[in-house]
């Protein structure tokens, strides 16, 4: 990474490329003969490391480590093989204790950091070298942060104890000099990469007593969570959130990538999906902390966003929020109304929702939405009469409310009051001629009073308004079949299949319509498509049995019909039809047995066949 000072000046770097002393040459020879490492050569290299002069060390580093005098992250690993971490540590200690130690401390830090890329040795000597450099003040916090970047969790924990940042009991030691934020962040990052042994030290380092802002601590843990984390990371995050206040959480939100533009309590660009790494309880804790404080516009938007993250279920928190508002001000109807919606929509507790809507209405009898939503909940509890009464109230205060009119029509249709339902649908249409569902509902009600042509007209209006309204095509096709307009029915079913080739009603419709038109091959094609897509459809196997029977393919017919009976042992028509197939195959005994079963199930036609063919 580019740094703010040169690791080696340009002129020094150029001169070092030509420098070669006898000592450095011996050092190279030893290093090159030490891969894989041997104890004898390692011992000689230890001695040579201590003898090297400044230019020896700098020449070795510049020739074999740096591509650029300003940058310390271009490591030529192949050239450095033969050294172990202890040698790197000795080189860095030697380099940093020379007269120009301040100039080369940063270079030593980078070398110590990257040494781990070429040596498989344990980290004990590496840590010891870093400790000596830091405690003798050759390293400041920044150099220490660079050199331990990516160090193992265990080695980092040991280091923090050796340099007296953490006690043997894993407690942070408050010093007169604050730890540099980059160093603290590096230590935290290293400890997070380890196991549960780091938890106590992390908790102490991230606590407010350590001098670190709580929001900064939350950002550190949250960054780790984004990379995939063990369960204890979440526990630590929740622990910090629990000790945070409203301002800490707000500051944490501003520090994350959640918000791109924050001005005076408003934000324009935000990314709620960033919280998807947090489980439900952690998001709930965040919302709870925001709710505890003065909820600003910024925070209220965060609460909404957190609630909208996929698979988030913080309804209990939101419910508690409105319960607290009600306790503080029991005379505000809106809070009862909002809590009722949560109870109904998020918990499916329609009885308690009705109680809240009723409380809202007691406080404000003109609150139309309270009647409307209470009606929805009453419908869920099968209180259709109560639901209609509430829609009556809505329409008393809001006579042009098309949603209430349309829904009341549905309720009237459900209790069999088709004439009144048609009246409501018609009034809805008079207010809003484009209300497509009202035409559809009216068509259904007209069908129940045998106004076939009126229903056909309404379905056509639905299709004119919405050419993707699949159910309107299906129902219109059914009416056209009833009117023997099979060509028109076929056209509608083809449209349905064109919109959704897997639509089960469309596939059945195509198969049945072609059957009505005596196009048995085409009928079979669609029933076969149907069972390929829906192999559990018993009626499709039955239909194939009927068609193959008519084609005098009796063995196939028997197989299809047997399949349908196997899937549904109460399928009377299938027994009856299989009996006919057996009869055509000359098997009167099995035919009679099937008709006996059909009769037991309640198929009335079976008696006639039994009388005719099974007298004995």
């Amino acid at each position: 990474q580019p740094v703010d000072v040169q690791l080696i000046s340009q002129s020094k770097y150029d001169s070092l490329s030509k420098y070669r002393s006898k000592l450095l040459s011996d050092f190279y020879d030893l290093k090159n003969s030490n891969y894989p490492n041997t104890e004898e050569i390692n011992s000689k290299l230890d001695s040579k490391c201590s003898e090297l002069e400044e230019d020896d060390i700098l020449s070795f580093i510049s020739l074999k480590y740096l591509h650029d005098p300003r940058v310390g992250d271009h490591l030529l690993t192949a050239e450095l093989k033969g050294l172990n971490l202890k040698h790197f540590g000795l080189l860095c200690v030697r380099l940093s204790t020379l007269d120009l130690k301040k100039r080369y401390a940063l270079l030593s830090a980078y070398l110590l950091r990257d040494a781990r890329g070429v040596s498989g040795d344990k980290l004990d000597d590496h840590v010891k070298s870093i400790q000596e450099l830091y405690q003798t003040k050759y390293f400041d916090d920044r150099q220490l942060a660079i050199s331990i970047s990516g160090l193992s969790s265990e080695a980092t924990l040991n280091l923090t104890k050796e340099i007296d940042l953490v006690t043997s009991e894993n407690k942070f030691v408050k010093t007169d000099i604050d730890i540099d934020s980059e160093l603290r962040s590096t230590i935290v990052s290293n400890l997070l990469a380890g196991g549960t042994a780091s938890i106590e030290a992390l908790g102490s380092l991230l606590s407010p007593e350590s001098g670190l802002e709580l929001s900064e601590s939350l950002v550190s843990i949250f960054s780790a969570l984004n990379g995939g984390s063990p369960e204890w990371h979440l526990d630590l995050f929740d622990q910090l959130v629990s000790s945070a206040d409203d301002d800490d959480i707000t500051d944490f939100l501003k520090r994350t990538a959640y918000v791109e533009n924050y001005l005076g309590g408003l934000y324009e660009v935000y990314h709620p999906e960033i919280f998807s790494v947090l489980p439900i309880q952690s998001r709930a804790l965040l919302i709870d902390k925001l709710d505890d404080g003065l909820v600003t516009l910024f925070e209220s938007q965060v609460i909404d966003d957190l609630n909208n993250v996929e698979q988030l279920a913080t309804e209990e928190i939101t419910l508690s929020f409105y319960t607290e508002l009600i306790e503080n001000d029991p005379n505000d109807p809106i809070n009862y109304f909002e809590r009722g919606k949560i109870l109904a929509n998020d918990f499916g507790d329609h009885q308690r929702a009705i109680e809240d809507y009723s409380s809202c209405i007691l406080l404000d009898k003109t609150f139309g939405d309270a009647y409307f939503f209470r009606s929805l909940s009453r419908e869920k509890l099968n209180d259709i009469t109560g639901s209609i009464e509430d829609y009556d109230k809505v329409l008393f205060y809001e006579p042009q409310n098309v949603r209430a009119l349309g829904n009341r029509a549905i309720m009237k249709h459900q209790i069999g009051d088709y004439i009144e339902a048609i009246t409501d649908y018609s009034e809805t249409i008079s207010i809003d001629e484009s209300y497509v569902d009202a035409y559809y509902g009216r068509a259904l009600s007209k069908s129940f009073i045998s106004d076939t042509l009126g229903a056909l007209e309404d379905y056509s209006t639905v299709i004119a308004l919405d050419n993707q309204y699949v159910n309107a095509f299906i129902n219109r096709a059914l009416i056209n079949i009833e009117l023997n307009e099979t060509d028109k029915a076929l056209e509608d079913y083809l449209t349905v299949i064109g919109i959704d080739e897997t639509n089960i009603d469309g596939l059945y419709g195509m198969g049945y319509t072609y059957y009505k038109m005596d196009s048995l091959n085409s009928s079979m094609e669609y029933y076969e498509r149907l069972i390929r897509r829906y192999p559990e459809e018993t009626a499709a196997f039955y239909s194939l049995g009927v068609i193959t029977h008519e084609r005098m393919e009796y063995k196939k017919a028997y197989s299809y019909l047997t399949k349908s009976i196997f899937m549904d042992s109460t399928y009377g028509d299938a027994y009856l039809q299989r009996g006919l197939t057996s009869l055509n195959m000359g098997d009167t005994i099995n035919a009679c047995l099937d008709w006996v079963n059909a009769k037991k199930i309640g198929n009335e036609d079976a008696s006639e066949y039994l009388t005719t063919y099974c007298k004995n």
Side-chain angles (χ1 to χ4, degrees), residues 92-106:
C92 290
V93 171
R94 177 74 177 143
L95 183 61
S96 297
T97 53
L98 295 169
D99 291 339
L100 298 175
K101 53 185 173 290
K102 290 295 181 185
R103 178 181 297 179
Y104 300 128
L106 188 62

Side-chain angles (χ1 to χ4, degrees), residues 23-24 26-28 30-31 34 41-54 56-57 60 82-95 97-98:
L23 197 60
L24 182 58
D26 292 343
F27 177 78
Y28 268 122
L30 282 170
K31 178 190 78 66
N34 196 36
I41 302 296
N42 271 338
S43 177
K44 290 181 181 179
L45 276 168
D46 290 351
S47 173
K48 287 296 180 185
C49 285
S50 301
E51 296 172 10
L52 291 173
E53 298 294 333
E54 176 186 324
D56 293 319
I57 298 171
F60 168 71
L83 296 179
N84 60 28
L85 282 170
K86 182 179 179 182
H87 301 141
F88 282 108
L90 289 169
L91 286 174
C92 290
V93 171
R94 177 74 177 143
L95 183 61
T97 53
L98 295 169

Side-chain angles (χ1 to χ4, degrees), residues 120-257:
D121 291 1
K122 293 182 179 179
L123 298 172
D124 297 345
D125 291 326
H126 180 200
V127 173
K128 189 174 186 300
S129 301
I130 299 169
Q131 171 199 337
E132 290 173 356
L133 290 168
Y134 188 69
Q135 289 181 323
T136 53
K137 307 303 180 188
Y138 294 125
F139 268 18
D140 60 18
D141 283 358
R142 184 185 177 205
Q143 271 86 51
L144 182 60
I146 292 169
S147 62
I148 70 170
S149 176
L151 195 63
S152 75
S153 176
E154 181 182 1
T156 302
L157 188 57
N158 291 335
L159 175 65
T160 59
K161 293 176 180 177
E162 292 293 335
I163 62 178
D164 299 323
L165 289 177
V166 173
T167 68
S168 58
E169 291 79 28
N170 291 333
K171 298 297 181 184
F172 170 78
V173 179
K174 178 68 175 174
T175 61
D176 294 333
I177 303 173
D178 288 335
I179 303 175
D180 176 77
S181 61
E182 183 177 351
L183 173 57
R184 189 198 312 267
S185 177
T186 303
I187 291 173
V188 168
S189 177
N190 289 350
L191 292 179
L192 283 170
T196 53
S198 306
I199 293 178
E200 285 185 315
L202 271 169
S204 181
L205 279 166
L206 294 171
S207 68
E209 291 75 23
S210 71
L212 188 69
E213 291 184 26
L214 232 172
S215 58
E216 190 176 333
S217 301
L218 287 169
V219 170
S220 297
I221 304 295
F222 187 70
S223 298
L225 292 174
N226 271 293
S229 299
E231 189 66 32
W232 68 269
H233 282 193
L234 287 168
D235 293 341
L236 184 58
F237 182 84
D238 290 350
Q239 175 189 323
L240 291 175
V241 171
S242 297
S243 61
D245 59 23
D246 179 77
D247 290 336
D248 292 323
I249 302 301
T250 302
D251 195 39
F252 160 69
L253 293 167
K254 295 176 191 175
R255 285 172 179 261
T256 65

